[in-house]
Amino acid sequence: MIPMVDLKGQYQTLKEEIEQGFQETLQNTSFILGPNVQAFEKEAADYLQVKHAVSCASGTDALHLALLAAGIGEGDEVITTSFTFIATAEAICYVGAIPVYVDIKPDTFNIDPDKIEAAITDKTKAILPVHLFGQPADMDAILALAEKHNLLVIEDCAQSFGADINGRMTGSIGLAGCHSFFPSKNLGCYGDGGMVTTNDDEIAEQLRMLRNHGSKVRYYHDIVGYNSRLDELQAVILRAKLKRLPIYNKERRRAAHTYSRLLAEVVTPPKEDGIGTHVYHQYTLLSDQRDAIMQKLQDNNIGCAIYYPVPLHQQKVFADICKKVSLPVTEAVASRCMSLPIYPELTDEMVTQVTDVIKSAV
């Protein structure tokens, strides 16, 4: 069996270090915003080349808190992509704002900067690009539009930890970057976890209060906040993995490039557009024979998945605000996309096994 992601194999290589960290945490009983959380925030900030890294309970919370800290609120419009996990749009709705969807580029699946300007109104306050599947969005074009129209830019980096654009890490380019540490992510813990990165001191101060009941000093509360703190035990795991992340991402790229070389003549592999370094949180291809390929893979105990079968503008939850929304590229991609197993421990032999099955299907 070749699963979509194999966390067991990776854990075996980290087991001793993680379990030692657990034992130290259990003995010192510093469970909430303890030394490992503080150390992880500093290490992550250094890695991503930002002034501040503020951890929280999930990637969804990271988006929510970043929007609140940026002052996005009731009736504001936030331009984003429909081809993403729903958390991107949920967070916009949490603050009372309205997601405005624009189409994607057909090759990278990221938001198309050429489609953004037509969606800007006097209610637009921010652009929220998603670095989908680990491929950085065209941030230079997005930032130029934002500057022209006096808009904020908040990055959804849930799938792109470690990706960069000419040396600038995703999450360090906009006003804030929102990260997820869901277990299957490039940098994942063993539960939920998230983080917001920023170079803005005021935003960072707001984030630290928002994640901790609106408090700077215990039992003194300046604003209405939330209980959204990264767990100390999860920080132990993340610290162990962060050291190895460059190797993990390099191995993901190796596996992805092997897939693309072997599949180039039978499907449309993902494209690296040269704008940034793709870190392949998912390896997502396009094929008119998707159903046949997936059935063949499942018959051979090989994992596969569709990210995402229904774009957000076609979801029931957004039916009222998206009645007249048509995103032809997004809809075409959603009807043809599928993802293959991808993780650092995936060997070239395993990749060949997967591609042989796909070739037999088509």
Side-chain angles (χ1 to χ4, degrees):
M1 181 177 179
I2 301 177
M4 283 294 290
V5 61
D6 180 11
L7 298 177
K8 292 180 181 179
Q10 189 175 86
Y11 171 65
Q12 293 304 316
T13 67
L14 303 168
K15 182 177 179 180
E16 184 176 341
E17 182 176 348
I18 288 173
E19 292 185 356
Q20 180 180 343
F22 281 1
Q23 286 298 321
E24 291 172 358
T25 299
L26 293 171
Q27 289 170 11
N28 67 34
T29 69
S30 183
F31 298 123
I32 304 298
L33 298 179
N36 280 291
V37 169
Q38 296 172 41
F40 172 65
E41 289 180 339
K42 183 181 185 308
E43 290 158 5
D46 290 345
Y47 179 84
L48 295 173
Q49 303 163 27
V50 290
K51 288 179 68 176
H52 306 282
V54 182
S55 61
C56 58
S58 70
T60 306
D61 278 5
L63 288 160
H64 181 197
L65 300 184
L67 288 165
L68 283 172
I72 308 298
E74 194 72 33
D76 292 340
E77 293 179 351
V78 178
I79 294 174
T80 191
T81 169
S82 175
F83 195 56
T84 180
F85 184 59
I86 195 168
T88 306
E90 280 180 326
I92 295 169
C93 296
Y94 290 162
V95 301
I98 301 166
V100 175
Y101 300 116
V102 301
D103 220 340
I104 58 175
K105 299 173 78 172
D107 50 1
T108 65
F109 313 142
N110 279 328
I111 191 168
D112 188 341
D114 292 339
K115 305 289 177 62
I116 291 175
E117 194 159 28
I120 295 173
T121 72
D122 57 2
K123 294 182 179 180
T124 306
K125 293 297 173 65
I127 306 171
L128 206 170
V130 179
H131 304 298
L132 195 70
F133 303 145
Q135 167 92 359
D138 189 347
M139 290 301 295
D140 286 341
I142 292 167
L143 288 171
L145 281 169
E147 184 176 359
K148 177 180 177 182
H149 295 278
N150 195 29
L151 303 176
L152 304 176
V153 176
I154 297 172
E155 301 172 70
D156 185 335
C157 310
Q159 302 182 17
S160 70
F161 204 104
D164 73 277
I165 302 173
N166 296 324
R168 296 177 300 165
M169 309 299 286
T170 58
S172 71
I173 303 169
L175 175 65
C178 307
H179 308 264
S180 168
F181 303 130
F182 188 78
S184 64
K185 294 299 189 336
N186 292 43
L187 180 63
C189 55
Y190 295 157
D192 276 313
M195 186 176 72
V196 184
T197 49
T198 184
N199 288 307
D200 189 294
D201 295 341
E202 185 176 339
I203 293 290
E205 183 179 13
Q206 286 289 307
L207 289 166
R208 291 190 178 101
M209 287 193 292
L210 284 166
R211 73 166 176 189
N212 192 30
H213 300 287
S215 174
K216 294 184 198 175
V217 180
R218 194 173 187 183
Y219 302 128
Y220 292 80
H221 307 274
D222 299 345
I223 59 175
V224 175
Y226 301 83
N227 180 8
S228 181
R229 299 171 297 214
L230 181 68
D231 185 85
E232 181 76 1
L233 293 175
Q234 301 297 349
V236 169
I237 297 160
L238 291 167
R239 292 187 69 196
K241 289 190 175 186
L242 181 59
K243 296 182 231 181
R244 299 164 171 86
L245 187 66
I247 295 173
Y248 290 165
N249 283 342
K250 180 180 178 181
E251 290 303 302
R252 283 176 175 269
R253 286 177 54 79
R254 170 198 51 79
H257 293 161
T258 305
Y259 270 136
S260 293
R261 176 172 55 82
L262 296 175
L263 289 173
E265 295 183 1
V266 293
V267 300
T268 303
K271 179 183 177 182
E272 295 188 31
D273 60 5
I275 288 174
T277 303
H278 198 326
V279 294
Y280 289 99
H281 169 60
Q282 299 294 347
Y283 182 89
T284 301
L285 57 83
L286 299 177
S287 176
D288 292 327
Q289 301 182 62
R290 179 176 70 183
D291 292 347
I293 292 172
M294 293 187 72
Q295 186 61 59
K296 193 78 168 180
L297 290 169
Q298 291 162 4
D299 291 344
N300 284 270
N301 293 318
I302 295 172
C304 55
I306 300 174
Y307 306 112
Y308 299 93
V310 182
L312 298 188
H313 72 285
Q314 294 181 328
Q315 296 280 354
K316 181 179 179 181
V317 65
F318 298 119
D320 289 342
I321 65 172
C322 294
K323 288 178 181 177
K324 298 181 180 180
V325 175
S326 175
L327 305 175
V329 178
T330 297
E331 292 158 21
V333 168
S335 71
R336 301 177 64 226
C337 69
M338 63 168 291
S339 299
L340 301 179
I342 189 80
Y343 44 93
E345 297 79 18
L346 192 72
T347 66
D348 286 347
E349 291 76 17
M350 295 162 76
V351 170
T352 300
Q353 183 180 341
V354 175
T355 58
D356 285 347
V357 172
I358 293 173
K359 290 175 182 178
S360 70
V362 301

